[in-house]
Amino acid sequence: SMERNDAAKPPRARGAVSALERAQSFDALEREDFDCAVIGGGITGAGVAREAALRGLRVALVEARDFASGTSSRSSKLIHGGLRYLAMGDVGLVRSTARERKRVFALAPHLAERRWILVPARSYAALLAIRAGIATYEKLGAVARADRHRSWDARDLAREEPLLRREKAKYACVYREYLTDDARLVLANLRDGIARGVVAVSHAPVVALHIEAGRATGLEAQCAETGRRVRVRARCIVNAAGPWVDAVRRLEEPGAPSRLHLSKGIHVGIPAERLPVRNIPVMVNSAGRSILATPRGDIVFFGTTDESFPGGAVAEPLAERAEVESLLEPIPRYFDTPPVQAKECVTAWAGLRPLIAEPGKAPVEMSRRDEVTFGAAGVLTIAGGKLTGYRKMGVDVVERVAAALGRSLSPGRDEDAPLPGGDFDGDLDALAQSLAAATSIDRAAADRLVRLYGTEAGDVVARGRDRLTPGASPLAGEIEWAIDVEGAASACDVVFRRTRAALYDPGCRALAAPVAERMATRLGWSAARTHEEEQAVKTRLEADLSFP
């Protein structure tokens, strides 16, 4: 066994999915009969699996690459109701998702940090118009009085956002949304599902569906590590593959027409000292697109674009130079700062939105609604939707699954219990302060860790203590945690989707070697594999900032 032999082996975390136990997970997939097999380990699949397990169903989940590696690690990182969809007349969507914000905050307050979105107004009349729209939005979302919008005048703006140009913003309206970490929200939901009996594997693409007498009765998945193929028997299959939904549908119905329209959204980050904003200001670029400037840790990131992406789903789309320039273009018009050049970007990510196709509409005009349909062999497909609405989508899908199975669902057990790391009152600063005091790591590191791991941050740090010198980075513990608790099977999994260093740490290239070397020790990699893993991180980081 590659497991540690230390006498002081750390206790197993709730809902752990260990990279060292892949073989056992594949054994369970092959051995058991499942009520529901979910294809896709993004936020939709993780949400469906958790809701199904909550309601008494036996669930398997298979993901082709890493959990959250598609759209669900590449979003704008906001839990929001979609204020702009009000203008499109999609009141039902706004009401539903705006109310879901409270549920996400209650389940995982470390992954729903209250932030002010700042909408500049050139005049008092413009301010009144903005306030009217936001007041309607807040009413739909049942926002508590303490969290409702505020109006800022010139004096407030000079204090709160001093770099904002006065000719752009004589006034501003600020309203609450929640900053999340999308990939970690996926992991938290997935682990909650695993704690309730879900069997989940990553790096296991589905290569076939089993169809008997016209009905889908299972699937075949192949381990990307070993090549092992397993047959998963399930009474209902849910296709939650995001941008790959159409590809999975064609395993059920070869030649099935495309239902999706893929749209690409990009984000880029610059060092925070280059534009030290305190809130999340909204800018409008020359194409009329709203761009948010979001401070997080050592960077401020800008996004997003919304352009059609022809040619089908790809795992790792790139931000193109023209797209990057469209994000950076409005900065000197809104802020008292020189123009920002593309070469100043230190992080970048791009993702694909799987929108329900609406011929004749531009991506920005297309609804963000989700759609649930059954295929010819009974595979249930969930497509579209928004990150914020994932829980409600999961409930809807599970009700459809139960109806198809002729099963009555048990009521959701502890459905409001916090997700792993979420068992605190939402005061992130107090949580960080207590972590810094208890572990003697510096406050900036504590702030970062509690926003990733919540109340589990202390356990994360402790796992690396035997390799840490006083004052050293908590990275050692994060690598151990990623392997043992969060199923990380590659160095890219750790750097991009567990620690999020690739998004928020301008120096993340330096992490490639220590991450690959420690994973090699734990997972038994050869020297050649270790070198490949290190190079894969560096190559990906370079590609993300190449801006072709």
Side-chain angles (χ1 to χ4, degrees), residues 430-450 453-466 468-475 477:
L431 194 60
Q433 193 173 336
S434 62
L435 178 68
T439 58
S440 71
I441 61 174
D442 68 60
R443 180 57 196 271
D447 281 337
R448 182 180 75 82
L449 289 168
V450 299
Y453 306 100
T455 56
E456 294 184 320
D459 297 334
V460 172
V461 174
R463 292 201 179 218
R465 272 300 176 208
D466 55 337
L468 278 182
T469 54
S473 152
L475 178 69

Side-chain angles (χ1 to χ4, degrees), residues 16-344:
V17 52
S18 171
L20 289 154
E21 296 172 3
R22 283 178 65 80
Q24 292 95 311
S25 295
F26 278 97
D27 291 345
L29 288 178
E30 207 161 39
R31 184 176 61 242
E32 299 183 31
D33 287 308
F34 295 94
D35 295 310
C36 176
V38 179
I39 301 171
I43 193 64
T44 306
V48 169
R50 174 179 176 267
E51 293 296 338
L54 273 169
R55 286 160 176 76
L57 298 183
R58 188 74 181 122
V59 186
L61 180 145
V62 291
E63 159 58 43
R65 283 164 291 274
D66 185 23
F67 302 122
S69 58
T71 307
S72 296
S73 56
R74 300 161 185 273
S75 76
S76 295
K77 319 295 183 232
L78 283 177
I79 299 296
H80 71 119
L83 177 60
R84 74 182 184 87
Y85 307 129
L86 264 188
M88 294 160 63
D90 212 338
V91 175
L93 175 71
V94 174
R95 178 188 287 110
S96 170
T97 49
R99 293 185 179 214
E100 279 298 301
R101 295 177 303 174
K102 291 180 175 178
R103 294 294 295 266
V104 178
F105 180 75
L107 289 169
H110 59 305
L111 300 174
E113 181 183 0
R114 288 184 181 95
R115 290 285 192 92
W116 290 117
I117 307 273
L118 186 158
V119 185
R122 288 175 183 268
S123 66
Y124 192 68
L127 175 69
L128 292 178
I130 292 165
R131 280 173 52 182
I134 289 173
T136 302
Y137 173 66
E138 290 174 336
K139 190 172 182 181
L140 287 170
V143 172
R145 185 176 296 277
D147 272 342
R148 286 182 198 157
H149 69 273
R150 300 174 186 180
S151 297
W152 287 352
D153 62 17
R155 188 182 305 168
D156 297 319
L157 285 165
R159 180 184 69 249
E160 300 287 347
E161 213 60 89
L163 286 178
L164 201 56
R165 289 189 182 276
R166 292 289 83 86
E167 65 270 21
K168 277 286 180 189
K170 289 188 173 67
Y171 302 92
C173 188
V174 296
Y175 68 100
R176 288 283 199 203
E177 296 288 19
Y178 296 85
L179 186 63
T180 192
D181 188 297
D182 48 7
R184 299 211 56 83
L185 186 63
V186 172
L187 287 165
N189 278 277
L190 187 68
R191 285 181 52 206
D192 195 61
I194 289 166
R196 300 166 192 276
V198 173
V199 178
V201 294
S202 61
H203 300 283
V206 172
V207 292
L209 296 180
H210 283 270
I211 298 175
E212 298 170 15
R215 303 297 296 169
T217 58
L219 58 83
E220 196 167 315
Q222 182 165 18
C223 176
E225 291 269 314
T226 64
R228 174 183 177 182
R229 285 192 175 209
V230 295
R231 164 88 185 265
V232 182
R233 294 183 301 276
R235 297 175 63 209
C236 186
I237 294 172
V238 174
N239 171 8
W244 291 271
V245 151
D246 283 336
V248 172
R249 282 179 60 236
R250 287 175 191 132
L251 294 175
E252 179 189 19
E253 295 177 68
S258 178
R259 297 267 297 288
L260 295 183
H261 182 103
L262 298 182
S263 156
K264 184 168 75 165
I266 75 154
H267 295 80
V268 294
I270 64 172
E273 62 264 24
R274 179 67 169 82
L275 189 70
V277 291
R278 300 176 189 179
N279 305 283
I280 303 180
V282 181
M283 304 176 289
V284 178
N285 70 4
S286 54
R289 172 85 193 168
S290 291
I291 309 295
L292 303 185
T294 306
R296 168 131 188 180
D298 294 331
I299 70 156
V300 175
F301 65 86
F302 302 90
T304 180
T305 56
D306 199 357
E307 302 293 334
S308 292
F309 188 81
V314 296
E316 294 174 327
L318 294 176
E320 294 172 29
R321 185 160 297 269
E323 294 171 315
V324 174
E325 288 169 353
S326 77
L327 295 184
L328 302 178
E329 168 267 317
I331 295 171
R333 289 192 280 111
Y334 280 80
F335 296 96
D336 188 12
T337 188
V340 177
Q341 308 297 326
K343 64 185 177 186
E344 294 180 72

